[in-house]
Amino acid sequence: MSVHPLSSFSATVAALRRAGCVFAEDEASLLHEAAASSDELSLLVERRVAGLPLEHVLGWAEFRGRRFAVDAGVFVPRRRTEFLVAQAAALATRRAVVVDLCCGSGALGVALATALGPVDLHACDVEPAAVRCARRNVGGLGQVYEGDLFEPLPVGLRGRVDVLLANVPYVPTADVELLPAEARVHEPRVALDGGGDGLDVMRRVAAEAPGWLAPGGSLLVEASERQRDAAVRILRCAGLVPRVVVCEELYATVVIGTRSARHVKR
């Protein structure tokens, strides 16, 4: 790793601050760490100042203490979603059958597998760029499929899934344009836009989830605080037993729907 002079570090911080980066010093440290030369540093800083997400500039994002590859055009895993994985880890056991829908980079499924030990991991996403990225991150831990929600999953998984992670898009369509430019410009809209009330994709997942879950298996989805009651109704109407868990520190709301041992779809 090359060592850049302090003046260069100060210049980097100043450039990032002018671009509106709130954590300029932290970002500058990461950019200097990543750059093998002054020319490469200049290029990285230029890309960040131009508005690319830091994770896309670096080529990785940290999630639950581990670095995951995140390619350009791939949804960046949010720190608040670590709470969803923690809830899943509390529900699952070793050798669990885990499905990561809308997997993006694959960070959620891999983080859960890391926490639990060996699991039967399956992940899928509709975005080809995300699938390529997820396959790099998942490696030999599981299988990654390309397709819309449950469509590409092996039919043999039906009725066997212990943990269904579904980090579905839940931003209402009208609010997408209010998101920071880093998200609305550089992340795929399909990973952000949840339809009129933000819950369209959640409805689709919930409707099919009971057929894939094992008895006692659980679906975990993230929602905003204002969507929690509607999300609970969606899971209940699908025949799942819903509950809500909240982490105020991370501003995270997770809705869990569990298939009962004697499941009757309503």
Side-chain angles (χ1 to χ4, degrees):
M1 183 193 307
S2 60
V3 178
H4 303 285
L6 179 61
S7 60
S8 179
F9 181 83
S10 300
T12 300
V13 172
L16 294 174
R17 282 179 175 160
R18 287 195 298 272
C21 299
V22 177
F23 303 104
E25 291 84 356
D26 294 338
E27 292 195 12
S29 295
L30 291 170
L31 293 172
H32 277 252
E33 176 189 335
S37 67
S38 294
D39 287 344
E40 184 177 3
L41 175 64
S42 296
L43 178 61
L44 295 179
V45 173
E46 180 180 329
R47 296 181 69 205
R48 180 61 179 134
V49 167
L52 270 73
L54 177 67
E55 294 82 1
H56 288 169
V57 175
L58 296 172
W60 58 266
E62 184 171 327
F63 188 79
R64 282 182 65 91
R66 174 173 175 168
R67 290 183 178 182
F68 290 91
V70 179
D71 299 332
V74 175
F75 182 78
V76 177
R78 282 20 176 196
R79 181 167 177 257
R80 65 173 173 269
T81 309
E82 293 181 356
F83 182 64
L84 185 150
V85 174
Q87 297 305 307
L91 291 171
T93 59
R94 287 170 61 90
R95 307 294 179 183
V97 177
V98 175
V99 169
D100 184 1
L101 285 186
C102 307
C103 69
S105 66
L108 275 65
V110 173
L112 182 58
T114 301
L116 293 176
V119 299
D120 185 3
L121 175 62
H122 301 264
C124 56
D125 201 287
V126 73
E127 280 284 315
V131 171
R132 290 192 296 270
C133 187
R135 283 176 176 156
R136 290 166 55 201
N137 287 318
V138 171
L141 291 176
Q143 300 294 320
V144 182
Y145 313 92
E146 181 180 334
D148 184 38
L149 299 181
F150 298 96
E151 181 271 330
L153 293 176
V155 68
L157 290 177
R158 290 187 63 86
R160 296 182 49 236
V161 178
D162 299 302
V163 176
L164 177 55
L165 305 171
N167 192 25
V168 299
Y170 58 89
V171 179
T173 300
D175 292 347
V176 171
E177 296 306 316
L178 304 178
L179 293 173
E182 291 180 12
R184 71 173 188 272
V185 174
H186 298 288
E187 292 182 311
R189 185 165 183 127
V190 70
L192 303 170
D193 191 341
D197 64 354
L199 300 175
D200 284 358
V201 183
M202 186 183 299
R203 288 186 182 90
R204 293 179 58 206
V205 171
E208 292 194 54
W212 292 88
L213 289 172
S218 294
L219 162 67
L220 296 94
V221 294
E222 199 171 70
S224 69
E225 175 64 23
R226 68 182 180 179
Q227 294 168 327
R228 59 183 290 174
D229 292 342
V232 164
R233 289 193 296 272
I234 289 170
L235 269 57
R236 182 178 291 121
C237 287
L240 301 174
V241 179
R243 64 186 178 94
V244 178
V245 286
V246 176
C247 177
E248 293 183 359
E249 178 185 356
L250 296 176
Y251 301 100
T253 299
V254 173
V255 185
I256 303 172
T258 301
R259 177 185 169 183
S260 63
R262 296 183 177 181
H263 174 74
V264 178
K265 186 171 181 180
R266 298 175 184 175

